Amino acid sequence: MTIEQKLSMALSYKGISQSELARRIGTTPQNLNQKVKRNTLTKEELEQIAKAIDGIWHAEFVFSDGTRI
């Protein structure tokens, strides 16, 4: 599963749009979309994204109820 797929599933799970995520992490929707499409998100950015959606990044998103994406 790609990072793009995992992110899409995690956002769907949390009911958050990619635009809302971009706002939460302090970037533009366009910039976030380009990084996702190009698969250029760093580990630090993935950790920041996970924190913004109340998860933890372990090469996957892990939520407090045990759900892993």
Side-chain angles (χ1 to χ4, degrees):
M1 187 177 303
T2 67
I3 296 297
E4 183 176 6
Q5 291 169 321
K6 287 183 180 191
L7 181 57
S8 178
M9 290 176 67
L11 292 176
S12 177
Y13 175 77
K14 293 300 286 186
I16 299 169
S17 69
Q18 191 167 311
S19 293
E20 171 62 15
L21 173 61
R23 186 191 63 74
R24 289 184 184 193
I25 64 171
T27 192
T28 64
Q30 297 84 359
N31 185 49
L32 178 58
N33 187 53
Q34 287 296 324
K35 286 180 168 263
V36 170
K37 293 285 183 196
R38 292 181 179 151
N39 196 28
T40 58
L41 290 164
T42 65
K43 178 181 179 248
E44 291 77 18
E45 288 170 323
L46 290 166
E47 289 170 346
Q48 180 184 21
I49 287 168
K51 184 176 179 182
I53 59 175
D54 299 320
I56 301 169
W57 176 253
H58 288 281
E60 62 187 358
F61 295 98
V62 181
F63 296 95
S64 58
D65 66 358
T67 300
R68 294 175 178 264
I69 300 173

